[in-house]
Amino acid sequence: MINEFNSTINHRKTVLVVDDNLINRTLLGAMLEPYYDLLYAENGVEALAAIRENISSLSLVLLDLVMPEMGGMELLGILRQEIELSKLPVIVLTSEIEYEVKCLQLGAMDFIRKPFDAPEIILARINRVIELTDDRKLLEATEHDSTGLYTRNFFLEYVLQLDTYKEDMKMDTIAVSLDHFQLINEMYGREFADRLLQTLGGKIAEFVRQHQGIGCHWDAEQFYIYCRHIENEDELNQLMNAVTFEDTSASFRIKAGIYSEQQDNLDIDRRLAAARFACDNIPLSQTGSVSYYDSQLHEKVMLMERRLDEMPRALANGEFQVYFQPKMDIRPDEPVLESVEALVRWQHPEFGLMSPGRFVPLFEDNGLMQLLDQEVWRQTVACLHRWREEYGVQLTASVNVSRMDLYNDANLSCILELLEQYDVPKEALHLEITESAYTDDENIILAAIGRLKDAGLTIEMDDFGSGFSSLNTITSMPFDILKMDMGFTRGIEKDEKKYHLVELVVNLARYMKVTTIAEGVETQEQCRLLKQAGCDVVQGYYFSKPLPAEEFEAYMKEKGVIG
C-alpha cells in the first residue's frame, strides 16, 4: 500500500507539522519523511511565522488544536482573514469530534484522528487533500487572467449560480471601460497599458469583495462587475478615480455604466449589453464618469434593435439609397468635376430619410456593415455603367470599405465580380479605407489592402488626420490617394497654423506621389486657400450636397459634363 502511494508522488511537497507534543511530531515525521519535505512548529505563533516565510512552497499544514501561546482554532481564524493564507490547505489533528464542525467553518479541509495508528490512511488523506488543492490551483489559473479577475466564461457561469441563490437581493450589472485604450497603448506602450489593466483589475477585485460580487476582465479595455445593488453612486466614482500612477503623466479616463435589476427579468446577456450601452453613451462633456441605464436609454436601445431587425427587409425593399457628392479638381483655372463619392442614406417608411450616422455605427457594431457595403458597391457600379451607356461619360466613384470588409476575402471577390458584371473598368472604382483601419490588426489589414492593390484597385486613405498615425508611419502604408479629414479645412481661413499644416500634408503627399483630397469645403475662401496650398481635389457643400442619382445627373448636365 505504501509503495503504491509512493509511486503516485511525482515530486516532493512541503508539509508543516504543528503540534506541541514531541511524540506526535516524531510519529508524524517517521510516517511522512520518506515522501514529503517537513517543517515543524510547536505552537500557533511559530506556525504562523513559518507559513508567512514559506507560503510559496508550502503544500499543507497539519494542525493540532490545543497548544500553548496560540492554539489551532486561533490560527485557523487568522489564516482565514488573509486571502493568500486562506488558500493553504489545513488538516486538523484532533481526538475531539465536537471540534470538527467549528474547524470546517474556519476553513479546515479534513481531520486526522489521534492517536496516529493507521499510516496508510493518514498518507492517503494527506495525498488526497494536496491533490485537490493542486487541482483547485490549476482551475483558478484558468479562471483568472493577468488582471486577477475572472475570465469571460467563468464569470458568466458564476453569475448564473449567483442568480440561482441570491433570493431577494437586488443586483447591479456594471460595465467598466477605459476610454481610447488603443491610443493609450500606442502613446505609452504595451507595458504601461498592461500595468493599467492590472491596476484597474486589482481595484475592481477590492470593490467586489466589499460589495458581495464578482468581477471579470471581458476583453481589451472592457470589465464587468456583478454585485449587490449600490445605493450610493459615489462608491463607484471612487473606483473610477482610484487608479493613479505617480511615475507617469499619462492621461486616461475610466467610465462605468450600471444596469440595476428591474422587474423585466432580463437574461445576463441583455443585462451586460444594457450596462455596456450605458457606459458607451457617456459623452466626453459629462462631468461624472458613471451612467445608469434608464427608460430614456431603454427607448434608444429598443429603437436600435428595431433598426437591426428591419435591416434585412430594408435591403430587400431597396430602402438604402446611394447619394453622390462631387469631387472637384481645383488645379485648373476653373474647378472641374473629377469624381464622386458614394454615400448611403436610408429612406425609412416611418422615419423618412435617415443620415448614415443614425444606422451605420449600429450596423458596424453588429456585423451587418458588410451587407450594406455590398449594396452600396452594387448601386454605385450600376450607376457608373448607366452613365457611360446613356451619356457616354465614364466617371470615377469612391466607395467605403469598412475594416470588417477587409477581414473577409470574399468582399474582394464581390467587388471584382460587380465590376465584371457591369463592365466597369477597375480604375473607375476607388476604395476608401479610413486611416484608423490601418492601425487595427495592422499586419492583417495591410495584407488585405495589399491584395486589393494587387488586383488593380485604387485605394484612398480616408479621414487622414482624424486618427493617430504619425507622418513617419504613413510612408509605409499602401494607398494611392490621401484624403484629409474635414478638420483640416474647418477654420483654415482663420488659422494660419492649419493652413501650414495642410501645406505640410500636401508636400508629404507629393513626396509619396499620391493625390490629395480635402473634404468639408464650404466657402470660396477655403477653396482658394486649399488650391494655394497645392491641394489637388476638394469636396464639400460649397460645390454640392450629396445628391440622389437622378439629381446628380441633373447636376452633371448643369456643369456640362453630360449633354
Side-chain angles (χ1 to χ4, degrees), residues 138-155:
L138 182 60
L139 179 62
E140 288 179 348
T142 61
E143 282 184 330
H144 302 83
D145 69 2
S146 61
T147 67
L149 300 176
Y150 285 121
T151 56
R152 181 185 307 192
N153 291 336
F154 281 98
F155 175 77

Side-chain angles (χ1 to χ4, degrees), residues 101-337:
V101 172
K102 180 63 174 177
C103 289
L104 287 171
Q105 292 172 341
L106 289 173
M109 291 188 67
D110 201 354
F111 299 88
I112 294 176
R113 296 282 175 84
K114 294 181 178 180
F116 309 132
D117 55 2
E120 292 86 354
I121 294 176
I122 292 174
L123 287 168
R125 285 179 178 271
I126 290 173
N127 188 46
R128 184 57 180 156
V129 167
I130 291 176
E131 283 182 347
L132 289 172
T133 304
D134 288 345
D135 289 345
R136 184 186 68 188
K137 289 178 180 178
L138 182 60
L139 179 62
E140 288 179 348
T142 61
E143 282 184 330
H144 302 83
D145 69 2
S146 61
T147 67
L149 300 176
Y150 285 121
T151 56
R152 181 185 307 192
N153 291 336
F154 281 98
F155 175 77
L156 293 173
E157 182 62 33
Y158 289 137
V159 167
L160 294 176
Q161 291 183 25
L162 286 172
D163 282 348
T164 302
Y165 299 108
K166 69 183 180 183
E167 296 180 347
D168 295 329
M169 183 183 293
K170 185 177 180 181
M171 304 293 284
D172 285 346
T173 305
I174 306 171
V176 179
S177 182
L178 279 160
D179 252 354
H180 303 302
F181 181 68
Q182 183 177 343
L183 175 60
I184 293 170
N185 211 337
E186 292 177 4
M187 291 184 65
Y188 303 111
R190 176 76 174 272
E191 183 180 346
F192 173 79
D194 288 345
R195 186 155 63 103
L196 178 56
L197 291 176
Q198 290 167 5
T199 304
L200 178 54
K203 297 298 181 181
I204 289 175
E206 292 177 17
F207 183 87
V208 297
R209 280 197 293 272
Q210 296 169 7
H211 294 83
Q212 299 177 33
I214 56 175
C216 165
H217 182 209
W218 192 260
D219 58 25
E221 74 279 13
Q222 189 67 46
F223 296 79
Y224 284 106
I225 295 171
Y226 189 61
C227 65
R228 66 169 175 77
H229 177 60
I230 300 171
E231 297 288 350
N232 187 354
E233 183 182 316
D234 288 341
E235 293 184 62
L236 199 54
N237 275 316
Q238 290 171 10
L239 170 63
M240 302 299 100
N241 298 322
V243 180
T244 58
F245 296 108
E246 296 180 358
D247 60 338
T248 177
S249 59
S251 176
F252 51 86
R253 182 193 189 202
I254 302 171
K255 57 185 183 179
I258 305 176
Y259 171 79
S260 290
E261 285 184 358
Q262 310 296 326
Q263 300 302 315
D264 43 21
N265 294 320
L266 295 183
D267 60 34
I268 182 57
D269 289 335
R270 290 181 177 271
R271 280 176 275 165
L272 293 172
R276 176 70 178 268
F277 190 80
C279 181
D280 289 345
N281 277 269
I282 299 175
L284 288 173
S285 57
Q286 180 172 315
T287 304
S289 297
V290 177
S291 175
Y292 284 85
Y293 184 86
D294 54 18
S295 58
Q296 187 176 2
L297 273 180
H298 179 72
E299 290 177 8
K300 188 175 180 179
V301 169
M302 293 301 100
L303 183 60
M304 290 170 61
E305 290 193 357
R306 178 179 169 185
R307 288 176 185 163
L308 288 174
D309 291 339
E310 292 175 333
M311 199 269 194
R313 182 219 68 208
L315 273 175
N317 294 344
E319 294 175 18
F320 295 106
Q321 299 177 7
V322 172
Y323 278 49
F324 297 95
Q325 187 172 35
K327 296 179 178 181
M328 309 299 291
D329 187 342
I330 58 174
R331 287 168 290 190
D333 291 339
E334 292 295 326
V336 176
L337 179 63

